[in-house]
Amino acid sequence: SYSATTYWYAFLGTSTNLKPQPEAAALPIPTLAEVQSGAHKSGAIECETMTLLRKSGDFIVEPQDMEPWSRERWSGGKHLVVKATRVGDTVELEVPAPDTRPQKLILYATRAVDFGTLQFRVNNKLCQAIFDGYAPEVQPTEPLPLGVFRPEGGRFVLQVTVTGANRSATGPRYYLGLDCLVLEPAS
């Protein structure tokens, strides 16, 4: 893990197109112990701890330790791997809601050579986000905003469906990995 600091100097009257990044500057720097254990993202609900409500077929859904791929890159050092076998395979996960207010849901996932393309629903409402899980090597994703939703019955139901595979994908082609979900109060 690392933290970068940049200094630069300029003559009086010089301008720049770079904007200050106070949010990034305020992020905590993890300790060595946190890095080695796979630090949790702030406010994250780990997908591997969510209740599996339903799956559409007889395929494996289980936590996977990300140690072989530098576990500190994933929240909690693990993700939920879904070894789906075909287009249309679906899992539904229960996401506890902190209160009754609408929340912005942000998903962190995994990309790999054998991962498929995905579509998401929250509380049976289709999300605009479409996700291509292919990458030439195993890696965590950038945040993927799913949208703003109001909890129902004290929870959200996250449905993930395999819609296909990137033409570069190899192997099983329809697997997927879900790291964590971050909920932010909607403004």
Side-chain angles (χ1 to χ4, degrees), residues 52-179:
L52 177 65
L53 298 173
R54 185 180 77 80
K55 63 179 185 170
S56 62
D58 186 26
F59 49 85
I60 295 169
V61 179
E62 64 186 3
Q64 181 178 25
D65 191 326
M66 300 309 288
E67 178 62 35
W69 303 280
S70 301
R71 72 190 318 265
E72 67 275 4
R73 297 166 55 203
W74 281 265
S75 182
K78 297 178 183 178
H79 76 169
L80 182 70
V81 66
V82 177
K83 295 182 178 180
T85 59
R86 64 179 178 264
V87 171
D89 278 350
T90 301
V91 292
E92 286 184 2
L93 301 170
E94 181 177 79
V95 182
D99 52 43
T100 59
R101 295 179 297 171
Q103 300 284 323
K104 179 178 179 183
L105 277 65
I106 303 164
L107 179 68
Y108 291 81
T110 303
R111 286 193 166 98
V113 71
D114 52 357
F115 281 19
T117 55
L118 309 175
Q119 183 179 62
F120 306 94
R121 290 181 176 273
V122 175
N123 296 343
N124 212 26
K125 294 178 182 76
L126 185 62
C127 301
Q128 295 299 314
I130 295 173
F131 177 73
D132 183 349
Y134 170 78
E137 58 186 46
V138 178
Q139 60 190 23
T141 66
E142 295 296 317
L144 180 66
L146 298 180
V148 174
F149 301 91
R150 182 176 294 280
E152 295 177 3
R155 68 182 188 172
F156 300 95
V157 175
L158 173 63
Q159 182 184 74
V160 184
T161 302
V162 176
T163 58
N166 185 300
R167 62 172 50 144
S168 298
T170 61
R173 299 174 44 91
Y174 302 122
Y175 285 7
L176 61 114
L178 305 173
D179 184 13

